[in-house]
Amino acid sequence: MADNRSSPADPPVERFAPSPSGRLHLGHAFSAMLAHDAARAAGGRFLLRIEDLDAGRSREGFAAAIAEDLRWLGLRWDGPVLRQSGRADAYAQALARLEALGVLYPCGCTRADIAAAAAAPQEGADAPPVYPGTCRNRTAPPDGPVAQRLDLARALEALGPSLPRLGFTEIGAGPQGETGWRPLDPDALLRREGDAVLARKDAAAAYHLAVVVDDAAQGVTHVTRGEDLFAATALHVVLQALLGLPTPAYRHHRLIRDASGQRLAKRDDARSLASLRDAGASPDDVRAMVGLAPAETAP
Ligand code: GLU
């Protein structure tokens, strides 16, 4: 029987989807250039989406700076820019569908509750602890504002016989070797992602839901992202299957690190494209810094 992979025949639709919570750095440039170059080489489209769901951290000035940095790099996107802040209805529809499947539950936990309940300190400062399931079996709804979480075990159960056929096509090397089909590993997913938040207390949706809904709405066939999101991709495959959405191919790329081996973050202003440009770097210098050929010779 057919699995969930998308048809390779059509011209690809690639995208870059930054959050406007800081200046773009070398890691963003690498992601954007890989997606852009792949789209152009195959006669496909390259889309820009601004992931401004988090009103507290998003700034208009950063959204404008993203466009400016991309233009400076020589990247042009096709069609209008999609803003997640205008997509509340689409996210509400997706949440209603998941609710009807019985795979959501309200969660009133704070970050501090979750950290305190986590069995052991988690590896890596950036990785939030996997949710220990505190609110999953509550009989009464929690007090105060709630988030909506995916009951992952139930979701996997709801997928029933289609589960063994789920997976995605990896077109970058990714953390697990060669290009090829990556079957879903439900146990690894339960261990690494657990019951993810799909609607935040303070926003119409959370990243995992919005990214899946929007990639489908924009007809994205190829997603380029850092290999730190490899486990998240498996969760996205589950959400796509629950919502009846196609699964794109995924290109997980190596992370760009600073001289001490740390992955770059928005706070690393020294590696922002703006500071590199101010220091006299050219777009081809930026390409060389992340190991890409100059623009005119790129595929
Ligand atoms: N807004 C996300 C980021 O900047 C997008 C990642 C993705 O889904 O590819 O990390």
Side-chain angles (χ1 to χ4, degrees):
M1 209 185 285
D3 53 40
N4 60 323
R5 62 189 98 179
S6 53
S7 154
D10 300 326
V13 180
E14 304 259 355
R15 52 75 157 175
F16 179 54
S19 304
S21 55
R23 294 303 299 245
L24 295 185
H25 56 59
L26 272 181
H28 295 110
F30 185 45
S31 244
M33 294 186 298
L34 284 176
H36 173 271
D37 293 358
R40 295 294 174 243
R45 287 159 58 77
F46 173 66
L47 309 181
L48 177 60
R49 180 168 76 231
I50 297 293
E51 301 213 324
D52 56 354
L53 272 180
D54 188 337
R57 295 176 63 220
S58 298
R59 300 278 176 273
E60 272 315 302
F62 288 135
I66 286 169
E68 185 192 320
D69 287 342
L70 292 177
R71 280 198 205 96
W72 174 73
L73 279 175
L75 309 188
R76 301 288 179 271
W77 52 93
D78 299 302
V81 177
L82 190 72
R83 305 284 295 238
Q84 289 194 325
S85 52
R87 302 268 302 145
D89 290 352
Y91 306 142
Q93 273 176 30
L95 284 167
R97 184 155 175 178
L98 295 173
E99 178 72 50
L101 292 172
V103 296
L104 292 184
Y105 63 88
C107 171
C109 293
T110 61
R111 274 172 207 264
D113 295 336
I114 297 168
Q122 304 283 316
E123 218 187 293
D126 283 348
V130 167
Y131 183 61
T134 322
C135 287
R136 192 187 306 124
N137 300 315
R138 274 181 191 272
T139 43
D143 290 335
V146 291
Q148 296 292 330
R149 282 187 186 272
L150 179 70
D151 184 331
L152 182 57
R154 269 201 180 196
L156 294 170
E157 216 178 283
L159 291 170
S162 63
L163 193 56
R165 293 192 300 275
L166 293 185
F168 62 91
T169 300
E170 171 68 67
I171 50 172
Q176 295 182 12
E178 299 300 296
T179 291
W181 181 248
R182 296 287 186 278
L184 193 76
D185 177 346
D187 293 331
L189 183 56
L190 283 160
R191 243 183 359 258
R192 293 203 189 124
E193 293 293 321
D195 290 354
V197 169
L198 299 187
R200 294 164 39 140
K201 290 177 185 172
D202 58 351
Y207 161 70
H208 293 300
L209 183 76
V211 77
V212 160
V213 168
D214 288 344
D215 281 335
Q218 291 190 286
V220 170
T221 60
H222 293 70
V223 171
T224 298
R225 55 169 55 150
E227 62 186 17
D228 54 327
L229 288 174
F230 193 79
T233 295
L235 175 63
H236 299 170
V237 169
V238 167
L239 292 173
Q240 286 149 0
L242 292 168
L243 293 167
L245 302 175
T247 291
Y250 288 85
R251 180 185 294 109
H252 293 96
H253 61 72
R254 64 189 156 79
L255 298 180
I256 305 297
R257 298 181 184 278
D258 65 15
S260 63
Q262 297 290 318
R263 56 175 291 200
L264 297 178
K266 292 222 169 89
R267 58 189 173 271
D268 299 326
D269 194 48
R271 290 303 185 100
S272 77
L273 296 178
S275 352
L276 291 167
R277 184 177 54 208
D278 290 350
S282 71
D284 277 346
D285 292 335
V286 170
R287 296 182 73 94
M289 281 176 200
V290 295
L292 292 178
E296 63 277 17
T297 60

